[in-house]
Amino acid sequence: GCAAAMRSREQWLEHPQGVAVAAEPLLEWHDGTRAEGVSAWHPTVSRPLEGLRVLDLTRVIAGPVATRFLAMLGADVLRIDPPGWEEDALLPNMTLGKRMARIDAKRLDGAARLKDLLAGADVVVHGYRDGALASIGLDAQSRATIRPGLVDVSLDAYGFTGPWASRRGFDSLVQMSSGIAQIGADWAGDDKPTPLPVQALDHTTGYLLAAATLRALTMLRVDGLGRSVRTSLARVGETLVRGGPLPIDGPLVGRIEPSVPLLTPWGEARMLPAALEVQGVPFETAFGPAPLGSGEPVWRDRPSRASEPT
């Protein structure tokens, strides 16, 4: 199993990694390469990401929340997983609106196929540790060269500087390390770790990266430059903690009228409403969730240019 020592907030702020994370920006932005030619993505008011190609190299919750949000706005999201990787309990929720395929990128032919997909993508979202993609010839500079104008979005657990920059981790471990679980224990009057519910760092990071992706795409259409943007679960946690305690002033879960039942490989499901509303923009997908590796690693043909005003 995986574990992390539970530190207090004060201990984390004095720890070398806590110091490094606190000094990092919430979102670290860099200009990318200039796009070549005219964009093949033609947004409309009702489907702003229709025809946008998103290469999804994420796992578990944070990255998949970001790419699911993009899929709900019309993006063609293609998720790639390695052979043998499964996330059984999460798949009905985190694969909604996406196509799933497998590639063994440790093989020469698999790495070449992944590079071909990247060359045809508009956005790549990845959640691997720093250096993982570089090991198969897909470091940041190579990604920007293979796909000029690429929007490159990424996250990791403990940040991109400091002694833990390459450390593996996930939401629960970061909450233990950074003092959040100790704050929860103090609030609950318990000596046991009390992390935030529903993997709050994961979900917050996912929506933040989705918003950053939309901002990068807007900037791309203005000046023709791709962008890279990244954050970490630890840095997002730092922002949440800095906000201070908030009163619980209402029910955590309200009654929601169910939508039309959705048929999935796991049975009938009902979707919760989207996390936000945008006038005139329905958050919906053309298809439901599916098992990992259930599709082919190819891009769909882009739709013809719509007549609806942008």
Side-chain angles (χ1 to χ4, degrees), residues 67-281:
T67 53
R68 182 185 63 188
F69 187 88
L70 302 178
M72 297 292 281
L73 292 175
D76 178 16
V77 178
L78 176 60
R79 172 169 164 164
I80 302 296
D81 289 281
W85 177 262
E86 291 293 343
E87 297 173 1
D88 294 335
L90 298 171
L91 296 185
N93 196 352
M94 293 302 159
T95 64
L96 179 66
K98 308 174 189 180
R99 297 183 298 115
M100 272 62 64
R102 295 190 187 276
I103 290 178
D104 187 352
K106 294 181 179 180
R107 294 170 51 95
L108 288 178
D109 58 343
R113 184 75 195 105
L114 189 60
K115 291 176 183 177
D116 287 342
L117 289 174
L118 180 65
D122 301 300
V123 177
V124 61
V125 185
H126 51 103
Y128 291 105
R129 289 177 301 137
D130 197 28
L133 291 179
S135 68
I136 58 171
L138 283 175
D139 58 274
Q141 184 57 51
S142 297
R143 296 193 298 270
T145 301
I146 291 171
R147 174 53 169 94
L150 180 69
V151 172
D152 191 316
V153 183
S154 62
L155 74 148
D156 73 358
Y158 284 106
F160 300 93
T161 61
W164 291 7
S166 297
R167 177 170 289 197
R168 292 180 174 90
F170 49 83
D171 184 312
S172 301
L173 299 187
V174 174
Q175 291 198 45
M176 291 289 290
S177 300
S178 62
I180 295 176
Q182 180 65 65
I183 293 172
D186 294 342
W187 171 81
D190 200 338
D191 59 356
K192 297 179 181 178
T194 308
L196 293 168
V198 299
Q199 304 299 128
L201 300 189
D202 273 333
H203 288 272
T204 305
T205 301
Y207 285 115
L208 179 66
L209 287 180
T213 302
L214 298 179
R215 177 60 180 159
L217 289 168
T218 301
M219 296 165 73
L220 171 66
R221 292 185 69 84
V222 171
D223 61 17
L225 286 178
R227 298 292 191 294
S228 67
V229 57
R230 64 185 185 180
T231 192
S232 67
L233 299 179
R235 185 60 184 83
V236 171
E238 182 71 16
T239 296
L240 294 179
V241 174
R242 288 179 186 178
L246 297 174
I248 299 176
D249 56 1
L252 294 179
V253 179
R255 182 175 295 277
I256 301 172
E257 291 298 325
S259 62
V260 176
L262 178 69
L263 296 180
T264 80
W266 300 274
E268 185 179 291
R270 296 183 184 276
M271 291 175 56
L272 295 175
L276 78 161
E277 294 181 356
V278 179
Q279 186 175 2
V281 180

